[in-house]
Each structure stands twice: as C-alpha cells, then as structure tokens.
Amino acid sequence: GIQVEQSPPDLILQEGANSTLRCNFSDSVNNLQWFHQNPWGQLINLFYIPSGTKQNGRLSATTVATERYSLLYISSSQTTDSGVYFCAVSWAGTALIFGKGTTLSVSS
Amino acid sequence: NAGVTQTPKFQVLKTGQSMTLQCAQDMNHEYMSWYRQDPGMGLRLIHYSVGAGITDQGEVPNGYNVSRSTTEDFPLRLLSAAPSQTSVYFCASSAGQGGNSPLHFGNGTRLTVT
C-alpha cells in the first residue's frame, strides 16, 4: 500500500516564526488532505489539495503530485497553532491513509 | 449542523465485554469511516462504508464489526474487548468516496479496556 512519511516529527517554534511541514508519499495519489489535531484532540480539516496551491489565512499548502510530496506552510505562528499536523492520501477513491504526523509546539 | 457526532466520549470496559460505539452524521454524506489512534501510530483505518448497505475492511479490522443500515449512522461494535483495543476512536464522513472530498471527524471516543 501507499506509504506516507511526514517530517520533521517534532517542531518547536517561538511565536511569530514561520515553518514548513513536509509530506512524502510512495505512490501515485489523486487526493491529499491536511489535518490539524488540537491539544484537546479534535481533528480539523485544513486543506483538501490533490494538486496545486491553496491558502487560508496564515496557512498555505502546495502539492506536487508528480514528485510525490506536499508542503504545509505556517506563517507568523501563534500558540493556537500548536498540536499535531497530519497528512493523508488516497488513490482511486479508496480510503485515506494517514502519516504519523508532525507535532508542533509554539511558545509565547 | 451538528456534523459528526460520536457517543460516548469515554468508556471503560472489562476484558471480554462487548459494546457499540455510536456515530451519526447529519450532512447526508455517503462515505463514513472509523479510525483508531494510538500513540506514535497516527490514525489507522478500521472499517469504512461508501453508502448504506456497503461496508469494507480497512487496515486493522480484527475484533470489530460494522453495519450501515442508514446513510446517517455507522456504529462500530467491539465483539469481545481486549486490552489491545484501548485507544481513541474517531468516526469520519465525507461527501465523496474515500478521499475525493474533505473528510470531517467527530470528537472521538476514548476507550480503556482493563
């Protein structure tokens, strides 16, 4: 099956810093999504981004499907950005497979 | 809209007991799925359904049963609970199949099996 690798596994930032999270996948996908799990355990869908670039406020994401990677950019980080960020991929309408996540800690 | 609703939020079982985790969505989504989350393992797919009357196994289906009699509901049954099933369980739904539209999660059920 498809393998999903996220890096870095852990990231510590000061408030106001920028960061880039990476998601590599081992095979062709026609779908990719990014999620944020907040410290209370809730999973929030950030982006549905099978290809191209999208922006939502301070967050943006880029997927280059032909090169099998996606990037999540967080600018001017805030303490509320803390949590775990997951990338998930699928092919041909099958179920999403999740990476192990990047744990982000933002301190004030 | 309530979105995806999971009950209960917390549950403690003894080994060998059975129970049903409830999941309901009010978005008329065809696709529903169950994941479990364990420390350091990310989310692993247990079972999924692409519509009423249709279910299929995911990555870790052993010890769990599902059924989909209505579009709204997708209960997960633990037949004989084991300590290895201690985990946080998430139900999710989307308008499309599997991954071709945004996936929405419930708030999770934290299950402890002693």
Side-chain angles (χ1 to χ4, degrees), chain B:
Chain B
N1 280 349
V4 180
T5 302
Q6 291 184 236
T7 56
K9 289 185 170 55
F10 302 93
Q11 183 71 50
V12 179
L13 291 178
K14 294 186 188 305
T15 297
Q17 288 184 318
S18 63
M19 80 158 294
T20 299
L21 279 63
Q22 302 291 344
C23 176
Q25 52 91 11
D26 61 0
M27 297 174 283
N28 201 31
H29 285 170
E30 288 297 320
Y31 177 85
M32 296 185 75
S33 57
W34 278 101
Y35 288 86
R36 61 177 288 173
Q37 184 176 29
D38 303 294
M41 300 292 292
L43 285 91
R44 293 183 292 169
L45 182 66
I46 305 171
H47 285 285
Y48 65 99
S49 169
V50 298
I54 306 170
T55 63
D56 206 346
Q57 296 181 351
E59 182 184 358
V60 288
N62 292 341
Y64 307 96
N65 271 0
V66 292
S67 59
R68 185 92 180 272
S69 56
T70 66
T71 299
E72 294 77 21
D73 301 299
F74 191 44
L76 179 71
R77 297 183 186 85
L78 279 69
L79 308 174
S80 177
S84 60
Q85 294 178 304
T86 293
S87 188
V88 181
Y89 292 84
F90 288 97
C91 180
S93 72
S94 70
Q97 288 190 2
N100 62 358
S101 64
L103 193 66
H104 301 273
F105 280 90
N107 287 335
T109 294
R110 184 174 295 274
L111 175 67
T112 301
V113 183
T114 61

